Amino acid sequence: MIKVEGLTRKYGSFTAVDDVSFTCQPGRVTGFLGPNGAGKTTTMRVMVGLTPATKGQVTIGGLRYHDIPNPGRHVGVLLDASAQHGGRTGREVLTIGAMTMGLPDSRVDEMLDLVSLTASEAKRRLRHYSLGMKQRLGIAHALLGDPQVLILDEPANGLDPAGIRWMRGLLKSYADRGGTVLLSSHLLHEVEQIADEMILIGRGKIVAQGDRASLLAGAGPAQTLVTSLDNEVLSTALKEAGHVVESAGQGLCVHAPAVEVGRAALSAQVVLTDLRDGGAGLEDLFLQLTADTQRETPPDLAAPTPGGTIA
Amino acid sequence: MTTAPAIHLDVTNTDPVPLSRLLRVEFRKSYDTRAGFWLLFSIGVITLIAEVITLIVAITQDLDNVSLGTFTAVAAVVTSFLLPVLAIMLVTTEWTQRSAMVTFSLESRRSRVVWSKLLVAFVLSLASVVFAIVVGVVCNAIFAAAGGTTEWWNQDVRDGVIGFVISQSLGMLVGFAFAALFLNTAAAIVVYFAFSFIVPTLFEVGTAVFGEHSWFADLRKWIDFNTAQNKLFELSTMSGADWAHLVVSSLIWVGIPLVFGLRRILRAEVK
Ligand SMILES: Nc1ncnc2c1ncn2[C@@H]1O[C@H](COP(=O)(O)OP(=O)(O)OP(=O)(O)O)[C@@H](O)[C@H]1O
Ligand SMILES: [Mg+2]
């Protein structure tokens, strides 16, 4: 549905987006991941015609954005929730959007309800909105025209845990109904749980893409985290089976798939209390792939997600 | 990758955003923010204050050369100062507040957004003329009721109405053009007022230095927008040369910044 072909955007001699190509399918959530300054926002801005491309092109449903009539009815866009007049009330922002798209006023109330902004909050001016409230309003604005395609730049930014979970559900069901979703993030955990497809970008170039499984397949040898009632015995058994074992916190980190660890535990008759994939997970893969494009310290990536109960 | 259905957007039943809707939206944007609302409100209030002062002076001094034109002129001066500011804000707030990102994603034919804003500014200029005349009529009636001797109409309709409309619109256009050029409220307002106060002074100085019949005085006729514009209040007496001066100086002060400003708006990366 969204097709990016050989997209390049240069600023002087600096190449912000470098020959990027990918597609987003309808009925799927596509996550667009990369460290700060990787070129996610620039790519998305080119998609909706706010930034001209230096080379290459983007089509949405076969059309260039510029050729889509009344684009708000087809493509919902949220690039920067703060990019609204601070002197307008939340309701006014939506009203103006609805008016431009030719939608009835009732749509404004529906959207305010959907993103749980109360009537009194909707009457407040945007200047006095919290980050999360702006983000909710931005999501409401993107959904106003009941579009078939959603392009969201860091939509979870500023949302509280409940809000993030709500948004995941929203986007998931939106895709299940056949919608196309492209959302960017630098937080892998945020995207991992809903994205059917992931595109990893670093310093303007795509470094990997695919679904979770195929990305993991390329992530190098599996590692498993295991904790048992008798780690020592288990460790010996694993070493005997020819696996590399390191101690990791309360348990062990084994360079082998979980099934091998389980098998070793069974034969050694050790009770496992915890067994999970702990190896080169997506996050490690992500860090590794974007390593040369990473800033010295990647604080965002190391930090737990606000909704990180389900890691 | 699987080829899922609906790879193509079905846009056959979607009409492009009509200009009438953009106009309504842009008109609404002119007053739905606090700044916009207060600007419109202050134009009204300041005009009324100026009119009250004029009335008091006229009544207490028992002036005898008062007419409807006296009062409309007061409203004209006040509105002609603030109207360009209104036009400036119509354009620049989209950039300073960054709402252009949303505006241009909902209507990617940017020129249509700009034309809508220009039309709205023009409608507001017309409204300012109507407002000035209505206020003038009311004040003149009050003056007459207070025992003053006044004339209702002592000028050519072309001067009092048509010249007024053109002059208001041109003033607004200068503001609009500077706004498009600078895309920044403060810069556009400063340059606009510099243009209306400093440039005329420079012309006076130049004429004083080079003399009334110098090359400078000849050149000045073609580039002095203020002088050319002021003639509009005696539109019925304007000669062909006067019109030519007005057209040329407007092209310089409105046309050039507007063309460069439009180019900038149409091509700029919106952030
Ligand atoms: N107008 C511009 N002039 C020069 N450089 C620019 C311009 N716009 C963007 N860039 C550069 O392009 C690069 C990509 O920026 P972009 O905003 O797309 O990154 P991002 O992936 O969205 O990052 P983040 O995760 O921090 O939002 C950055 O290095 C940025 O500094
Ligand atoms: Mg970004």
Side-chain angles (χ1 to χ4, degrees):
Chain A
M1 188 56 117
I2 302 178
K3 193 166 182 194
V4 182
E5 293 165 284
L7 184 71
T8 301
R9 168 73 212 199
K10 290 189 178 160
Y11 291 105
S13 61
F14 173 72
T15 310
V17 178
D18 192 356
D19 195 20
V20 161
S21 302
F22 62 88
T23 54
C24 305
Q25 306 289 336
R28 303 184 71 131
V29 176
T30 306
F32 195 25
L33 282 152
N36 289 130
K40 305 179 293 294
T41 305
T42 307
T43 305
M44 290 175 139
R45 265 208 317 266
V46 173
M47 284 179 177
V48 298
L50 292 177
T51 293
T54 308
K55 253 207 320 267
Q57 66 161 356
V58 182
T59 53
I60 300 177
L63 298 170
R64 289 182 314 139
Y65 191 83
H66 191 76
D67 298 327
I68 303 174
N70 203 352
R73 300 297 300 272
H74 297 286
V75 185
V77 181
L78 170 59
L79 288 183
D80 186 341
S82 310
Q84 283 285 7
H85 198 298
R88 273 190 195 113
T89 64
R91 167 178 291 276
E92 185 63 22
V93 165
L94 294 187
T95 304
I96 291 224
M99 245 171 114
T100 314
M101 294 180 224
L103 301 166
D105 267 357
S106 57
R107 189 73 189 152
V108 172
D109 294 292
E110 281 170 44
M111 288 302 107
L112 285 170
D113 268 354
L114 181 74
V115 300
S116 319
L117 284 173
T118 65
S120 80
E121 286 167 340
K123 271 191 225 138
R124 247 173 257 165
R125 293 184 194 269
L126 223 72
R127 189 175 293 131
H128 306 303
Y129 268 35
S130 71
L131 181 57
M133 284 163 69
K134 276 188 211 157
Q135 208 69 30
R136 282 169 191 266
L137 191 75
I139 294 170
H141 196 278
L143 292 168
L144 256 181
D146 192 22
Q148 296 95 299
V149 179
L150 277 180
I151 297 177
L152 310 172
D153 194 9
E154 293 178 41
N157 188 18
L159 289 185
D160 55 27
I164 290 180
R165 191 171 293 182
W166 159 80
M167 194 197 63
R168 280 194 198 124
L170 182 90
L171 296 184
K172 193 112 201 131
S173 69
Y174 179 86
D176 289 344
R177 280 180 282 123
T180 309
V181 184
L182 174 67
L183 84 157
S184 78
S185 176
H186 12 74
L187 297 179
L188 185 88
H189 286 302
E190 213 170 79
V191 171
E192 200 180 2
Q193 292 164 46
I194 44 163
D196 305 294
E197 185 90 14
M198 276 179 267
I199 293 157
L200 271 55
I201 184 172
R203 212 176 278 170
K205 287 198 176 73
I206 293 195
V207 289
Q209 57 182 310
D211 57 17
R212 198 186 140 83
S214 71
L215 281 176
L216 275 176
Q223 290 187 17
T224 306
L225 288 176
V226 62
T227 316
S228 66
L229 290 183
D230 193 341
N231 285 341
E232 218 134 291
V233 173
L234 181 62
S235 170
T236 318
L238 282 164
K239 279 176 188 154
E240 268 164 19
H243 302 302
V244 179
V245 182
E246 295 156 14
S247 78
Q250 308 253 317
L252 306 168
C253 175
V254 190
H255 293 220
V259 60
E260 294 299 328
V261 180
R263 201 164 275 148
L266 181 64
S267 57
Q269 306 240 327
V270 178
V271 177
L272 298 186
T273 54
D274 186 17
L275 178 70
R276 64 198 144 97
D277 186 357
L282 273 184
E283 182 158 314
D284 287 342
L285 174 74
F286 178 48
L287 285 171
Q288 172 196 321
L289 285 172
T290 57
D292 55 334
T293 70
Q294 203 65 249
R295 278 146 219 285
E296 245 66 358
T297 45
D300 276 351
L301 289 162
T305 55
T309 41
I310 349 145
Chain B
M1 274 173 214
T2 50
T3 344
I7 285 289
H8 287 276
L9 273 185
D10 182 14
V11 296
T12 43
N13 293 321
T14 323
D15 296 321
V17 183
L19 198 64
S20 59
R21 222 152 67 200
L22 285 177
L23 271 173
R24 268 174 44 223
V25 167
E26 291 303 332
F27 181 65
R28 190 174 172 118
K29 284 188 193 167
S30 70
Y31 63 84
D32 74 348
T33 64
R34 195 164 275 186
F37 174 80
W38 285 111
L39 182 60
L40 281 170
F41 187 81
S42 8
I43 293 177
V45 170
I46 297 172
T47 307
L48 291 182
I49 293 173
E51 293 288 6
V52 168
I53 295 172
T54 313
L55 260 181
I56 292 172
V57 171
I59 294 171
T60 54
Q61 308 281 309
D62 206 10
L63 299 182
D64 52 7
N65 56 348
V66 175
S67 72
L68 170 61
T70 313
F71 296 105
T72 49
V74 172
V77 168
V78 176
T79 51
S80 73
F81 268 122
L82 294 175
L83 199 60
V85 177
L86 198 75
I88 287 172
M89 292 203 7
L90 229 45
V91 178
T92 52
T93 48
E94 293 274 0
W95 299 83
T96 50
Q97 300 280 334
R98 300 171 59 227
S99 50
M101 270 172 90
V102 172
T103 308
F104 290 152
S105 8
L106 292 185
E107 176 50 276
S108 55
R109 297 167 299 175
R110 298 185 191 176
S111 58
R112 288 171 67 92
V113 173
V114 179
W115 291 127
S116 315
K117 286 186 186 293
L118 195 58
L119 277 170
V120 166
F122 185 65
V123 167
L124 289 172
S125 308
L126 284 181
S128 76
V129 171
V130 173
F131 175 67
I133 292 175
V134 168
V135 168
V137 167
V138 172
C139 292
N140 205 32
I142 296 175
F143 182 66
T149 4
T150 178
E151 257 186 278
W152 274 100
W153 195 263
N154 61 356
Q155 60 184 158
D156 197 303
V157 178
R158 283 174 292 173
D159 303 346
V161 180
I162 301 174
F164 187 15
V165 168
I166 300 178
S167 150
Q168 287 291 79
S169 307
L170 280 177
M172 173 280 290
L173 270 174
V174 176
F176 194 92
F178 285 155
L181 190 61
F182 296 111
L183 296 179
N184 176 296
T185 316
I189 290 180
V190 167
V191 172
Y192 175 76
F193 282 110
F195 162 77
S196 8
F197 293 111
I198 298 173
V199 174
T201 316
L202 290 181
F203 281 129
E204 289 303 329
V205 172
T207 309
V209 170
F210 295 104
E212 288 287 345
H213 301 287
S214 63
W215 61 271
F216 184 83
D218 287 339
L219 176 67
R220 174 180 173 179
K221 291 188 192 119
W222 297 97
I223 56 176
D224 185 349
F225 182 66
N226 283 278
T227 308
Q229 196 192 6
N230 283 338
K231 297 232 170 80
L232 281 168
F233 288 98
E234 287 148 28
L235 182 136
S236 50
T237 66
M238 273 173 78
S239 65
D242 289 336
W243 280 108
H245 295 155
L246 181 66
V247 169
V248 171
S249 58
S250 321
L251 280 178
I252 293 173
W253 293 101
V254 179
I256 294 176
L258 198 57
V259 166
F260 280 99
L262 279 179
R263 258 171 58 118
R264 183 168 176 200
I265 292 178
L266 299 191
R267 294 186 181 178
E269 180 178 32
V270 186
K271 291 239 156 186

